[in-house]
Amino acid sequence: MLKQLTLAAFAALTLVSSAADNDGWTSMFNGKDLTGWKSNEETPGSFSVEDGAIKVSNGRAHLFYTGPNGDAKFTSFEFKAKVKHMEGSNSGLYIHTAYQDKGWPDKGYECQVNSTAHKDPKKTGGLYAVKDVLNTAPVADGEWFDYSIKVDGKHITISINGKVTTDWTEPEGWDPATALKNMPGRKLTEGTMAIQAHDPKSVVYYKDLFIKPIN
């Protein structure tokens, strides 16, 4: 009897610990396939799963997070993932965006993923064309690193390996059509996330993707 009670108590404790560890985070990727994501297939085959990670390669396309019900949308949230960019590679993580068939996403902001060796001077950890990390990426190529994004109201924070690389608040009355060249949709509203496949020479990996709504 005592042994049965002990086992029951252990099982209950395990369930409580598991719930506590989750702490509101939702897994966005099952490590096996692209369930919960939709590629626009602008360049077919740009997204695949390799060794438990989303592999981005081949050519320009975007992979949009649809979630379990196909209608994922977020306003204020925290996001975290592990990322690895190979030498000379470019990619990005779009926030507050929406599915579109082709082209760079018109809606939302791009959080840059770009290695030191790529010719674009806007590097990993920046908010593309808004508040950039210039010339030198904060992490090396070929190594996994932690990429975190927090959107709290109009405040955007990007952190790489726990260090803040971008801290920016969208100004009152922000008009991206005036402030930014050819980027009229760069504005916080609501939307999903997307992973960018940039060009045929770029290879980038993403795994352990989690998101948590806040407020």
Side-chain angles (χ1 to χ4, degrees):
M1 182 67 175
L2 179 60
K3 183 178 180 180
Q4 289 178 332
L5 287 173
T6 302
L7 289 173
F10 178 76
L13 181 61
T14 300
L15 288 172
V16 170
S17 298
S18 178
D21 288 344
N22 187 52
D23 196 28
W25 291 95
T26 296
S27 175
M28 303 170 73
F29 172 54
N30 63 21
K32 299 176 182 179
D33 56 40
L34 296 177
T35 298
W37 295 82
K38 181 180 180 180
S39 171
N40 62 10
E41 292 294 283
E42 182 176 1
T43 303
S46 291
F47 303 98
S48 58
V49 177
E50 183 177 289
D51 297 329
I54 298 173
K55 181 181 180 180
V56 181
S57 60
N58 203 35
R60 188 174 74 173
H62 291 82
L63 184 68
F64 295 84
Y65 179 64
T66 60
N69 299 318
D71 58 353
K73 281 185 181 178
F74 305 95
T75 49
S76 292
F77 65 90
E78 293 182 70
F79 166 86
K80 61 183 180 180
K82 291 190 179 295
V83 182
K84 178 170 65 174
H85 43 54
M86 309 310 288
E87 185 176 357
S89 294
N90 196 339
S91 181
L93 290 160
Y94 279 83
I95 58 174
H96 281 211
T97 195
Y99 179 86
Q100 65 182 62
D101 289 332
K102 61 183 179 179
W104 312 115
D106 295 325
K107 185 177 186 294
Y109 289 93
E110 180 188 357
C111 302
Q112 179 72 315
V113 177
N114 185 16
S115 75
T116 298
H118 194 275
K119 64 182 180 180
D120 189 336
K122 298 177 177 66
K123 302 302 179 183
T124 291
L127 194 63
Y128 194 89
V130 177
K131 191 171 179 61
D132 294 303
V133 172
L134 293 172
N135 301 317
T136 304
V139 285
D141 295 329
E143 297 180 4
W144 288 106
F145 59 89
D146 295 323
Y147 202 120
S148 301
I149 304 167
K150 183 177 181 180
V151 178
D152 190 357
K154 298 296 184 180
H155 186 200
I156 302 173
T157 308
I158 302 173
S159 300
I160 304 298
N161 284 338
K163 181 179 179 180
V164 173
T165 54
T166 294
D167 189 327
W168 187 76
T169 300
E170 186 179 278
E172 189 70 29
W174 169 254
D175 181 6
T178 300
L180 302 173
K181 184 179 179 180
N182 299 322
M183 296 181 179
R186 296 295 185 263
K187 190 176 179 69
L188 290 173
T189 51
E190 66 173 7
T192 191
M193 295 192 66
I195 298 173
Q196 179 189 86
H198 188 273
D199 61 78
K201 295 181 180 180
S202 291
V203 178
V204 181
Y205 297 88
Y206 295 85
K207 68 178 182 178
D208 300 343
L209 297 92
F210 293 88
I211 198 161
K212 177 171 69 172
I214 59 177
N215 296 339

